[in-house]
Amino acid sequence: MQTAADADDAATLLAAVPAGRRVALVDPRFVGHVHALRLGLTDPRFAAATVPGALTAQPEARGALLRALRRTTAAAGAGAPDTDPAPDDRTVPGRIAVALEAEGTAVKRPELGSLTATVPTDGGARATAESARAEVDDEAVRLRSAVKAHDGFFTTFAISPYSRYIARWCARRGLTPNQVTTASLITALIAAGAAATGTRGGYVAAGILLLFSFVLDCTDGQLARYSLQYSTMGAWLDATFDRAKEYAYYAGLAIGAVRGGDDVWVLALGAMVLQACRHVVDFSFNEANHDAVANTSPTAALSDKLDSVGWTVWARRMIVLPIGERWAMIAVLTALTTPRIVFYALLIGCSLAACYTTAGRLLRSLTRRASRTDRAAQALADLADSGPLAQGVAAVAPGLRGAFTAPAVALLGTLVMIGGALFLPYGSWLTVAAAAVYVVLSGLAVARPLKGALDWLVPPFFRAAEYVTILVLAARSDAPHAVPAAFGLISAVAYHHYDTVYRIRGGTGAPPQWLVRTIGGHEGRTALVAVLAAVLTHAAGFTTALTALAVAVALVVLVESIRFWVSSSAPAVHDEGELA
């Protein structure tokens, strides 16, 4: 820390700092909480940020900062910049923040709430500021703000009251959120291994370990918020490990059940498919509407009114069976019952939740008068995951007109594909013909920009078509271990789809087109599995083919995903997400 005599001196000192480091300007008269400064000066997600009396700039914003600061050297009076004063912060850092914004550099102003951050101009103002600072325990505020603002009932009342203190314990010992996230994954994998033993003792241990894994899962995010340790790697790990833990646990339960003489692989895969389809409904709806114009509806207004009635907020959060409630249910039922009952409860609970959330989204979409943007249409097209076959059809087919044409065509293709897999003779080439029809209809569905009121349904329909087709064909096959192989394939594909979601959320766009083309797109993979089922009817080769396809997809997707998330272009955000 160095003291500058005036703006010219400050510019000289800042220019001497190595280019790759963050810099900050703080008015020496500043009075406030340490955590207020921490929020303003240490959050890695923003190129520039300010609180009253303090300003920080990351390396990418330092050039703009120096230009703004050097312009002040020509102003009259030491340290008086040549910009118009900021209405709420007349200090040098505050005025320079205004100059940065005028130049086009975004400056983050974090919400301080009850925290104090001010620059008093006289003794009376200083005494008042110091009194306000003394009245608020900034460590208590820091602990409260470490907890996600909108979380599920179980997480809010059964986990967060003590997990925040675990987060502080981790911070004081130098542990990082990524280390806690990894510990949560390892714990969940051990839990899956315990469930795979198929013994009552193993099931009890699995339930306990799963709950502990969830505590760690909450702790990593709270640690990131408590210590402001947001990172690109953390965003990737937090976004994907929850699904890896849950699906690995499903597999462990299925293996344990088989050891006990009860094959529940179809139920395990069904639970995974249902959960993934639920998520894509949420993702698609949010991407379609988050920047829509005139984005209001009577349904949304009713929801806002219900928010004023406290118990309805918690009831609606519990109905959707978020991750806290879901994992608690899985853990308790694992310890007390059997894997089959666990999966029955999951399928019933998730089905009811899916009906509730989808119905609400449909009502909102049909009653609002929203104009969707090109960005939203592109996000839906990316979430659709159309491969070269569907893109080829879309390129030559005329765009079908009509407000609901795209989702109707996508639904028709989904019904044709799933119906063919379910009801046509297994191994029949008619199923391949159904896949060809699906390819054509999926191309027609995306031939026009997805800006209709219900066009957000297109990606969920495609997910259901692909996942359910693979599930049904594997389940109907007599090939040994076909369903576990299908479990692996859908896990790899689902990872790709979640990765797409979190890239879009980070503002960096979908995965590169070469990746989508390489793994075939949803319609290409669906058609390929239909062909494999016809060629390798009732043969062990079907399992081998599914396994090989799963490995190939996983390798390509994981290598590209890891390359992206560890690169400098990945978004430095920590997922707050839905109540997944």
Side-chain angles (χ1 to χ4, degrees):
M1 183 174 67
Q2 300 186 61
T3 302
D6 53 30
D8 190 22
D9 189 23
T12 301
L13 292 173
L14 290 176
V17 178
R21 297 180 62 182
R22 175 201 291 269
V23 296
L25 289 172
V26 181
D27 193 298
R29 300 167 296 168
F30 177 86
V31 175
H33 289 100
V34 173
H35 192 52
L37 276 180
R38 186 183 293 113
L39 289 172
L41 303 183
T42 65
D43 195 323
R45 296 174 295 176
F46 310 110
T50 187
V51 295
L55 171 70
T56 186
Q58 296 267 46
E60 59 268 31
R62 281 186 52 183
L65 172 63
L66 282 174
R67 287 192 297 273
L69 189 54
R70 283 170 175 157
R71 284 199 304 268
T72 69
T73 61
D82 60 354
T83 59
D84 293 333
D88 57 351
D89 184 3
R90 295 176 178 270
T91 65
V92 170
R95 294 176 183 233
I96 294 177
V98 173
L100 284 174
E101 290 176 316
E103 188 178 310
T105 300
V107 179
K108 174 67 176 179
R109 290 177 167 80
E111 293 290 337
L112 299 181
S114 59
L115 296 175
T116 297
T118 186
V119 177
T121 55
D122 55 49
R126 173 170 288 276
T128 300
E130 290 175 345
S131 175
R133 180 178 62 185
E135 289 176 357
V136 175
D137 182 352
D138 70 338
E139 178 61 20
V141 173
R142 188 181 181 189
L143 272 174
R144 286 197 303 271
S145 61
V147 177
K148 190 185 294 186
H150 303 289
D151 223 327
F153 181 87
F154 179 78
T155 303
T156 299
F157 295 104
I159 304 296
S160 293
Y162 59 87
S163 62
R164 69 183 75 181
Y165 295 100
I166 300 176
R168 182 171 66 180
W169 183 90
C170 292
R172 290 177 175 177
R173 282 152 184 81
L175 298 176
T176 68
N178 292 350
Q179 291 171 329
V180 177
T181 302
T182 303
S184 175
L185 174 65
I186 292 172
T187 304
L189 294 178
I190 296 173
T197 64
T199 64
R200 178 51 52 194
Y203 290 149
V204 172
I208 295 172
L209 287 169
L210 186 65
L211 284 177
F212 183 58
S213 173
F214 182 65
V215 172
L216 293 176
D217 182 60
C218 295
T219 300
D220 67 355
Q222 291 166 359
L223 175 58
R225 287 181 285 272
Y226 180 85
S227 57
L228 298 178
Q229 294 185 74
Y230 304 103
S231 68
T232 56
M233 180 65 72
W236 174 55
L237 294 178
D238 191 67
T240 56
F241 275 15
D242 279 351
R243 304 289 81 79
K245 289 180 287 190
E246 190 166 4
Y247 299 159
Y249 192 81
Y250 291 176
L253 281 176
I255 293 171
V258 170
R259 287 187 170 183
D262 187 15
D263 189 344
V264 296
W265 271 107
V266 171
L267 296 178
L269 184 50
M272 185 174 79
V273 167
L274 179 56
Q275 188 62 21
C277 289
R278 278 186 62 199
H279 281 152
V280 77
V281 168
D282 296 337
F283 297 145
S284 294
F285 179 81
N286 290 336
E287 289 302 324
N289 292 285
H290 92 284
D291 59 352
V293 179
N295 196 14
T296 59
S297 72
T299 307
L302 175 61
S303 179
D304 292 339
K305 289 182 180 179
L306 288 175
D307 285 343
S308 63
V309 183
W311 69 268
T312 67
V313 175
W314 295 115
R316 285 180 290 143
R317 290 185 187 177
M318 293 174 69
I319 287 173
V320 301
L321 202 63
I323 189 169
E325 278 75 359
R326 193 167 68 250
W327 282 28
M329 180 185 73
I330 293 171
V332 171
L333 291 179
T334 298
L336 300 180
T337 64
T338 65
R340 181 172 289 272
I341 293 177
V342 173
F343 287 124
Y344 281 155
L346 267 174
L347 288 168
I348 293 171
C350 289
S351 295
L352 293 175
C355 291
Y356 170 78
T357 55
T358 305
R361 283 156 171 69
L362 285 170
L363 285 174
R364 290 189 181 211
S365 299
L366 292 172
T367 56
R368 66 173 28 134
R369 297 178 180 274
S371 299
R372 288 168 177 82
T373 63
D374 291 337
R375 180 224 171 267
Q378 183 59 53
L380 291 180
D382 293 334
L383 289 173
D385 192 33
S386 299
L389 296 178
Q391 290 177 0
V393 172
V396 300
L400 300 178
R401 298 186 178 276
F404 306 115
T405 301
V409 171
L411 175 60
L412 177 60
T414 298
L415 294 176
V416 168
M417 188 66 256
I418 295 177
L422 272 173
F423 302 115
L424 292 173
Y426 178 80
S428 169
W429 284 95
L430 290 176
T431 306
V432 178
V437 173
Y438 173 67
V439 167
V440 173
L441 292 176
S442 62
L444 291 174
V446 296
R448 290 171 58 87
L450 298 175
K451 292 187 175 182
L454 297 181
D455 284 0
W456 57 269
L457 286 169
V458 171
F461 286 148
F462 289 164
R463 292 299 83 74
E466 180 179 5
Y467 296 168
V468 175
T469 296
I470 296 172
L471 166 61
V472 170
L473 292 178
R476 294 186 67 189
S477 170
D478 291 337
H481 309 302
V483 178
F487 191 98
L489 174 57
I490 293 179
S491 297
V493 174
Y495 176 86
H496 164 62
H497 290 144
Y498 282 110
D499 187 51
T500 300
V501 166
Y502 288 108
R503 292 196 198 204
I504 293 173
R505 278 185 172 181
T508 57
Q513 272 298 302
W514 69 260
L515 175 66
V516 177
R517 289 193 295 267
T518 299
I519 61 176
H522 70 92
E523 80 291 348
R525 292 186 297 270
T526 304
L528 177 58
V529 172
V531 171
L532 292 174
V535 173
L536 304 172
T537 306
H538 306 303
F542 185 55
T543 299
T544 303
L546 289 180
T547 304
L549 182 58
V551 171
V553 171
L555 282 176
V556 174
V557 167
L558 282 172
V559 168
E560 162 55 22
S561 178
I562 293 171
R563 181 211 63 78
F564 170 78
W565 285 105
V566 301
S567 70
S568 59
S569 61
V573 297
H574 186 83
D575 174 51
E576 290 292 335
E578 287 75 25
L579 305 179

